[in-house]
Amino acid sequence: MPTSIASPNRTSPWAHAFFVEFGDFWLFTGRALGWMFRDLTSRQFWRRLIPQLYEVGWLSLPVILITGAFVGMVIAIQSIDQFRNVGLEDRLGSIVNLSVVRELGPVLAGMMLAGRIGGALTAEIGTMNVTEQIDALRSMGVDPVRYLVSPRVCACLVLTPMLTLFADLTGALGGWFVCVVQGGVDPGPYLEYTKDAVDNFDLFSGLLKSLFFGCALGTISCYRGFYCKPGAHGVGRACTSAFVASFIAILILDYMLAVILQSISVYLWGFRSLI
Amino acid sequence: MSEARNAPIIELRNVAKRFGALVVLDNLNLSIEEGKTTVVIGESGTGKSVLLKHIVGLLRPDSGEVFFQNTRIDNLDEEGLVPFRRRMGFLFQLSALFDSMSVGENVAFPVLQHSAKSAVKTDEIVAETLRKVGLEGFQNRRPGELSGGQKKRVALARAIALNPEVVLYDEPTTGLDPVRADVINELILKMGRELKATSIVVTHDMISAYKVAHRIVMLDKGRIIADGPPDYFRKTDDQKSDDLSMAVPRPRI
């Protein structure tokens, strides 16, 4: 008797594996976030968190500052001649700073962190997995998600928005340098148009996005390490797939949040023209 | 001897486990007597380590039941297993020391996780436990600075830091030279004497098995094919037991 298309028997092994992994990932994320909130007042949690804050925050700061500065400078250098051609170079501040604060600051900071922190998290947890250190934790009655994953996810969650703020700051300075110092744009109107265009909601939008990016890269990287296949090859592949998955997650989240936040902005304040 | 003393401390009933098409444990039944050292032998890939991981709940059976002192544990979640895991120590085949920590921190780890002892008291426990395994003063070394045998001894110190009732040894002498392997055998005997712990040793090292075992269980294709005291294995004519125990060279491929 022919089976219907909806029958579970017709589910391809690939689709089955995808949905199993997808479900596993959300359970894993739920456990990590659950332990994080439960342990926020625990001294042991803070003892595990502080080294992660140092690793994720302090050690990532140089690369984030450099990324932010060059993003601002590149946007400015690409825009300045076009704006000057139509006599609107005074308005460069609005475009450069709004692009940095709303979009490029959070997205590129997230991607830099996915490369720098995500790879390190996957490699560290993956190596612990293949050398039975995670099994050792479990055999001693210690939940490895609570012990290893929740402080790392917490550090990514808290510090990605903070690092994004620094990227925004250096991005704005980079744009200022190219437009005002190198390009000779009048600093007064540059600042005035910046103040008109970039408001608190834009800053909030960028930081909210980076909060989601931090959560995504932290959980994806830990998950890939936690379930990596044996051997050096397994750890290597886990690192690659963690970076690719974090990268794609950041782009998808960016689009979804841009749609939602733009709708909220239009609903609350109406359409704002920048030019 | 009282009835409680004779009751098995660990019992596996009809435990089956497969990984894909590979049957690793095939409706296995095994009772472990309290206070004794049971050695599980068998060729590589016969399910010895998988058996050990079922006892501590690192793997779940596809069917069958695992009991610890008459309490079923295979259906407990991770939090439910914690009280039972505290009563067991597990020595991993690759030692599984936390390489981000010093030797002292590794040994202190289970103590800090499961008790509210002061730093001074914890340091005393670490020093005492390292002394038991013959590594006095090694607290500040890193795992990367240790030899294979020393790593096993640190891993053993970590496994016994909470004075467990059951100690599980996964291939404790694999990869060690005969002298270092014998040091580990002596330690297994010492732990049995001093801690009065029940020991389950998985190995294919018959010298080690004969030295430490009260009882030897032989696995083949996930089933028990021989079970008895060491003398039984010394005298048996069964080819598989004989192969492993005598390791007689003959064409095999």
Side-chain angles (χ1 to χ4, degrees):
Chain A
M1 200 169 84
T3 48
S4 75
I5 288 172
S7 161
N9 297 333
R10 296 288 296 267
T11 309
S12 75
W14 181 88
H16 182 260
F18 173 78
F19 285 114
V20 167
E21 189 169 348
F22 193 70
D24 270 351
F25 171 73
W26 283 107
L27 287 173
F28 180 85
T29 302
R31 277 173 63 201
L33 294 177
W35 278 121
M36 187 184 86
F37 288 115
R38 276 171 70 174
D39 284 345
L40 275 177
T41 53
S42 145
R43 274 177 69 182
Q44 284 207 2
F45 177 76
W46 281 91
R47 255 188 235 140
R48 298 194 296 269
L49 178 63
I50 287 167
Q52 299 306 322
L53 293 176
Y54 173 77
E55 184 69 36
V56 174
W58 182 247
L59 296 184
S60 302
L61 195 57
V63 75
I64 290 293
L65 293 177
I66 292 168
T67 305
F70 278 92
V71 165
M73 287 160 72
V74 167
I75 298 170
I77 208 83
Q78 295 284 359
S79 315
I80 192 164
D81 288 341
Q82 296 292 332
F83 275 64
R84 188 167 277 152
N85 192 39
V86 290
L88 291 174
E89 67 266 36
D90 288 349
R91 295 177 182 240
L92 267 167
S94 59
I95 291 297
V96 170
N97 290 306
L98 198 61
S99 306
V100 168
V101 168
R102 255 201 203 173
E103 279 304 323
L104 294 170
V107 170
L108 288 174
M111 286 179 177
M112 287 308 294
L113 287 173
R116 209 199 85 77
I117 298 300
L121 288 182
T122 309
E124 186 184 10
I125 293 180
T127 306
M128 290 186 77
N129 185 19
V130 300
T131 54
E132 294 185 312
Q133 292 178 53
I134 288 180
D135 275 351
L137 281 172
R138 291 176 64 208
S139 77
M140 286 185 270
V142 175
D143 185 338
V145 174
R146 181 183 194 179
Y147 186 82
L148 293 174
V149 178
S150 75
R152 284 163 173 79
V153 170
C154 183
C156 291
L157 197 66
V158 171
L159 289 176
T160 308
M162 288 192 186
L163 290 166
T164 299
L165 266 182
F166 282 101
D168 290 349
L169 181 70
T170 53
L173 289 173
W176 167 275
F177 176 77
V178 169
C179 294
V180 176
V181 179
Q182 282 191 330
V185 174
D186 191 343
Y190 184 91
L191 274 181
E192 278 306 311
Y193 279 110
T194 300
K195 274 195 275 183
D196 284 349
V198 184
D199 60 20
N200 289 339
F201 186 77
D202 297 314
L203 197 61
F204 166 79
S205 299
L207 296 182
L208 185 73
K209 281 180 182 178
S210 62
L211 190 77
F212 278 87
F213 298 164
C215 186
L217 75 91
T219 50
I220 289 171
S221 305
C222 291
Y223 176 80
R224 289 292 185 197
F226 211 82
Y227 292 105
C228 79
K229 295 208 159 53
H233 184 64
V235 177
R237 286 196 67 172
C239 290
T240 307
S241 73
F243 178 67
V244 172
S246 300
F247 197 86
I248 291 170
I250 286 171
L251 293 176
I252 292 172
L253 282 170
D254 186 44
Y255 172 73
M256 288 166 60
L257 289 166
V259 170
I260 293 167
L261 292 165
Q262 181 67 17
S263 305
I264 292 172
S265 172
V266 170
Y267 177 77
L268 291 176
W269 296 288
F271 174 72
R272 290 183 300 154
S273 173
L274 296 176
I275 299 172
Chain B
M1 200 180 278
S2 70
E3 194 183 324
R5 184 72 185 164
N6 289 330
I9 187 166
I10 291 163
E11 196 174 3
L12 288 87
R13 292 184 196 158
N14 295 315
V15 169
K17 183 73 179 176
R18 61 165 63 214
F19 296 118
L22 181 69
V23 177
V24 184
L25 297 179
D26 187 5
N27 290 318
L28 185 124
N29 288 288
L30 178 66
S31 296
I32 303 294
E33 200 181 329
E34 191 172 354
K36 297 287 170 66
T37 299
T38 304
V39 174
V40 181
I41 61 169
E43 293 170 17
S44 297
T46 51
K48 305 186 299 292
S49 297
V50 171
L51 167 71
L52 221 50
K53 287 182 177 176
H54 276 80
I55 292 171
V56 78
L58 294 176
L59 290 173
R60 311 279 173 155
D62 296 336
S63 62
E65 296 157 345
V66 181
F67 291 86
F68 186 91
Q69 285 186 331
N70 294 324
T71 305
R72 190 173 171 191
I73 59 169
D74 63 277
N75 54 357
L76 298 176
D77 60 14
E78 291 285 311
E79 278 193 75
L81 278 167
V82 170
F84 296 95
R85 286 174 170 165
R86 283 177 61 176
R87 297 163 67 185
M88 299 188 229
F90 197 118
L91 173 64
F92 284 83
Q93 187 174 354
L94 301 173
S95 302
L97 295 177
F98 303 127
D99 42 26
S100 60
M101 299 180 188
S102 66
V103 165
E105 287 166 337
N106 265 281
V107 180
F109 186 82
V111 181
L112 293 171
Q113 292 298 318
H114 294 300
S115 63
K117 293 199 165 52
S118 66
V120 175
K121 185 68 187 161
T122 305
D123 288 347
E124 281 174 17
I125 292 171
V126 170
E128 172 61 18
T129 315
L130 284 173
R131 191 193 57 73
K132 277 183 192 164
V133 298
L135 292 176
E136 210 165 353
F138 272 59
Q139 281 89 329
N140 295 323
R141 299 266 190 105
R142 311 296 294 188
E145 299 166 6
L146 304 177
S147 68
Q150 287 171 335
K151 278 183 188 167
K152 295 259 185 190
R153 284 149 75 186
V154 174
L156 178 56
R158 187 177 68 181
I160 63 167
L162 288 173
N163 290 324
E165 293 161 55
V166 178
V167 186
L168 309 168
Y169 302 84
D170 189 4
E171 307 271 12
T173 58
T174 299
L176 302 181
D177 66 66
V179 177
R180 304 275 177 252
D182 206 40
V183 170
I184 298 291
N185 293 335
E186 291 288 338
L187 283 170
I188 294 171
L189 291 169
K190 189 178 169 189
M191 295 307 122
R193 279 196 310 269
E194 291 186 2
L195 301 176
K196 309 284 181 222
T198 306
S199 299
I200 305 173
V201 183
V202 155
T203 188
H204 48 239
D205 173 357
M206 289 308 296
I207 296 169
S208 172
Y210 287 142
K211 181 158 184 173
V212 302
H214 292 111
R215 171 192 177 195
I216 298 178
V217 173
M218 186 173 193
L219 286 190
D220 185 46
K221 292 174 185 156
R223 283 178 166 272
I224 295 174
I225 57 163
D227 184 351
D231 273 351
Y232 166 80
F233 286 84
R234 285 194 183 99
K235 293 169 187 165
T236 184
D237 292 332
D238 176 73
Q239 190 187 320
K240 276 195 185 293
S241 311
D242 213 29
D243 261 5
L244 201 67
S245 56
M246 305 304 288
V248 181
R250 62 178 177 82
R252 292 170 202 274
I253 45 178

